[in-house]
Amino acid sequence: MRYIEPVKSVVLFLLVMLSVVLTFLIWTYTPDYKYIEKNEGKEILIKPQKDMEDIIRPYKAVYRFDEKFTGTVSNTTMKEIMQTFKGWNVLDLVPINNSLSSNYVNEIIRADKRMTIFFTGEVPFSAFNTIFQFTDKTLPETTFNRMIIDWSNYDNKELTLYYISNNNQSLFRSHVSIPNMNQFMQEIIEPAKKFEAFKEIERGSYTSLYLADTKNESVKYTYYIEDITPELFKNVLFPDANIVQRNVESATSEKYTDGMSLMTLDTNLKSLNYVYPAAESSIRVEPSKLIKDSFEFINEHGGFTADFRYVSAGANKNQIDYQFYLQGLPVYSNHVITRMTTIWGDGRIFHYKRPYFSLDMDIPFEKEIIELPSGTEVIELIKDSNSIVLSDIDEIVRGYNLITQNQELNIFTFEPCWFVIRKGTWIKLTPEVLGGVKNGLE
């Protein structure tokens, strides 16, 4: 019994010391944040990441042979063209004209032994840095949306490249020395002689349109659509997902907020809308940095959940838009959202709007071949109508109209159609739009 008190004292002392040590460790402990960030990044990678050339891709190519045009909108051909560009050493990038007229543009494209590739959006030169190898260390802070490749000097193993910007009315020129010119001619130019005939649609003092002169058979697809769980985006967009409050506003609307930012879901349109008001900024970001920041923001969480292509930039709003594509053709819809938009703010994302679905699988027995009129036939229909002025059109494209077949089962149909693009908006060409003229558009 006489030893009990001393033992109690020793135990108490040890407990006190242990408490002091543990308190010290807690106060001084610094977690390995790099490890945490790395693992969090892996956990919230929604889809595989992509390269810039997957996002910046032409939608059409036309070729000039002996005063005739051929062309294609084939997705495979666009990939092959971009792959051919990889590693080209681009020399002597210089400005040629900063007040281009539409007639001059038409003449450049119309010259023999030239191919023109068309981009939907204005592309900063720096965004092509992962594709071309520019010898110039400092690239001009400007853009282009058409690239013309002149192979008339191929005997000297040299190509001349022209870069046209519709927005800036500018023309740049460079040269490319290609050691294996025969390979370029055999793989890119020679096959183009067998592409379908294209026709130049002249429009007076406006830039010409270039459309296929033959009817086209396109596939009507039906897909199961997979919803991407909003929890993934919550973990991506909010710094601390644990404090985010979810509120079901109605049968078609949900809201998530942490008090600083807001994420809203529209389950009908399958759209996600995120805004961080504190980051709103009126300071303009240069196009090269804007598209880089936008691309990296989305790509960091694997946000390119389908074939999304860069299609436009609103420099005054720091806005970048990406359009959903299927089989190399744009997808438009009044039923669900098919465009992804970022607006950059003060050092971070300010506004992010996007679909929260991805394609699951197509239903093979629902496939159907649809014959569409030729591009030149569409032009005649437009001329005969009073609803669309030809000179107001930016482009006429084949694409898909995405419509709901069964909302509950998430079954959607991709219907091949012709679309007019005018001032950044699309119009589906229907007999109603064209004043009741049918001829294959119904």
Side-chain angles (χ1 to χ4, degrees), residues 380-381 384-385 430-442:
E380 293 307 312
L381 293 173
D384 292 341
S385 76
T430 64
E432 292 75 22
V433 169
L434 295 172
V437 183
K438 292 190 176 181
N439 197 4
L441 290 174
E442 67 275 9

Side-chain angles (χ1 to χ4, degrees), residues 90-154:
V90 178
L91 312 171
D92 308 322
L93 180 65
V94 293
I96 300 298
N97 194 323
N98 61 3
S99 58
L100 276 181
S101 68
S102 297
N103 288 332
Y104 187 40
V105 172
N106 296 336
E107 289 174 7
I108 295 173
I109 296 175
R110 201 178 293 142
D112 196 32
K113 295 182 180 178
R114 287 182 177 177
M115 64 177 285
T116 304
I117 60 174
F118 297 77
F119 295 86
T120 306
E122 292 273 342
V123 181
F125 279 99
S126 62
F128 245 64
N129 241 340
T130 60
I131 303 163
F132 284 168
Q133 301 296 317
F134 289 100
T135 56
D136 297 320
K137 293 182 179 179
T138 303
L139 294 173
E141 189 57 69
T142 188
T143 60
F144 63 92
N145 68 330
R146 298 185 186 189
M147 184 189 301
I148 300 170
I149 301 174
D150 182 340
W151 71 83
S152 59
N153 200 26
Y154 74 92

Side-chain angles (χ1 to χ4, degrees), residues 34-89:
K34 290 183 179 179
Y35 176 81
I36 292 173
E37 289 170 3
K38 182 179 178 181
N39 280 276
E40 284 180 350
K42 288 181 179 178
E43 290 174 1
I44 57 177
L45 196 61
I46 297 168
K47 292 286 183 178
Q49 293 178 320
K50 296 193 176 184
D51 296 323
M52 184 69 84
E53 55 262 38
D54 297 321
I55 308 304
I56 298 178
R57 187 177 294 172
Y59 68 93
K60 179 169 64 180
V62 297
Y63 306 76
R64 187 70 164 172
F65 299 102
D66 300 323
E67 299 186 355
K68 293 181 180 180
F69 282 108
T70 67
T72 182
V73 294
S74 162
N75 196 36
T76 300
T77 302
M78 300 305 117
K79 287 181 179 179
E80 289 172 350
I81 289 173
M82 294 298 282
Q83 188 60 38
T84 300
F85 288 163
K86 292 282 282 185
W88 275 12
N89 289 313

Side-chain angles (χ1 to χ4, degrees), residues 303-353:
F304 292 108
T305 51
D307 184 5
F308 282 96
R309 312 275 183 89
Y310 162 68
V311 292
S312 66
N316 293 332
K317 294 182 178 179
N318 293 336
Q319 178 172 323
I320 297 288
D321 296 310
Y322 307 87
Q323 186 67 45
F324 176 31
Y325 274 65
L326 179 70
Q327 302 295 332
L329 300 178
V331 178
Y332 303 109
S333 180
N334 286 322
H335 293 248
V336 295
I337 185 173
T338 61
R339 180 167 285 206
M340 186 157 49
T341 298
T342 64
I343 299 178
W344 206 252
D346 185 8
R348 57 158 292 160
I349 193 72
F350 161 60
H351 189 192
Y352 182 34
K353 186 175 183 179

Side-chain angles (χ1 to χ4, degrees), residues 136-365:
D136 297 320
K137 293 182 179 179
T138 303
L139 294 173
E141 189 57 69
T142 188
T143 60
F144 63 92
N145 68 330
R146 298 185 186 189
M147 184 189 301
I148 300 170
I149 301 174
D150 182 340
W151 71 83
S152 59
N153 200 26
Y154 74 92
D155 285 338
N156 293 330
K157 298 182 178 181
E158 183 180 91
L159 300 173
T160 302
L161 274 58
Y162 298 95
Y163 312 85
I164 292 173
S165 168
N166 280 10
N167 284 1
N168 305 323
Q169 296 182 302
S170 63
L171 174 67
F172 278 71
R173 185 190 65 205
S174 68
H175 296 89
V176 177
S177 179
I178 301 183
N180 197 343
M181 180 62 77
N182 288 334
Q183 182 180 353
F184 170 78
M185 296 297 293
Q186 290 171 7
E187 294 181 358
I188 301 298
I189 303 303
E190 288 301 320
K193 293 179 178 179
K194 298 180 181 179
F195 289 164
E196 58 187 323
F198 267 53
K199 185 177 180 180
E200 178 184 5
I201 312 299
E202 298 184 52
R203 302 188 292 170
S205 59
Y206 296 86
T207 54
S208 297
L209 301 173
Y210 304 87
L211 295 168
D213 203 18
T214 54
K215 292 183 183 293
N216 179 269
E217 289 189 344
S218 299
V219 180
K220 180 180 178 181
Y221 293 98
T222 300
Y223 271 85
Y224 287 109
I225 299 294
E226 178 187 19
D227 287 345
I228 302 171
T229 174
E231 291 295 312
L232 288 173
F233 290 105
K234 183 185 80 171
N235 292 335
V236 166
L237 298 172
F238 293 93
D240 186 353
N242 294 320
I243 66 171
V244 174
Q245 299 292 317
R246 174 175 176 260
N247 186 30
V248 178
E249 298 281 302
S250 68
T252 61
S253 177
E254 297 179 15
K255 290 185 177 180
Y256 296 76
T257 184
D258 62 354
M260 292 291 292
S261 53
L262 176 68
M263 183 176 82
T264 306
L265 300 183
D266 184 322
T267 57
N268 268 349
L269 292 174
K270 294 190 178 296
S271 69
L272 180 152
N273 197 28
Y274 170 83
V275 63
Y276 186 81
E280 186 174 11
S281 174
S282 60
I283 299 174
R284 181 180 178 273
V285 180
E286 292 291 352
S288 58
K289 186 176 187 325
L290 183 60
I291 194 168
K292 178 178 178 293
D293 289 344
S294 173
F295 170 77
E296 289 180 351
F297 164 74
I298 298 172
N299 208 35
E300 279 176 359
H301 59 263
F304 292 108
T305 51
D307 184 5
F308 282 96
R309 312 275 183 89
Y310 162 68
V311 292
S312 66
N316 293 332
K317 294 182 178 179
N318 293 336
Q319 178 172 323
I320 297 288
D321 296 310
Y322 307 87
Q323 186 67 45
F324 176 31
Y325 274 65
L326 179 70
Q327 302 295 332
L329 300 178
V331 178
Y332 303 109
S333 180
N334 286 322
H335 293 248
V336 295
I337 185 173
T338 61
R339 180 167 285 206
M340 186 157 49
T341 298
T342 64
I343 299 178
W344 206 252
D346 185 8
R348 57 158 292 160
I349 193 72
F350 161 60
H351 189 192
Y352 182 34
K353 186 175 183 179
R354 58 162 300 135
Y356 67 88
F357 67 86
S358 63
L359 298 184
D360 188 2
M361 58 181 290
D362 69 326
I363 305 173
F365 58 82

Side-chain angles (χ1 to χ4, degrees), residues 14-27:
L14 292 174
L15 289 174
V16 170
M17 292 304 297
L18 180 61
S19 175
V20 170
V21 171
L22 289 174
T23 301
F24 175 79
L25 290 174
I26 290 171
W27 285 349

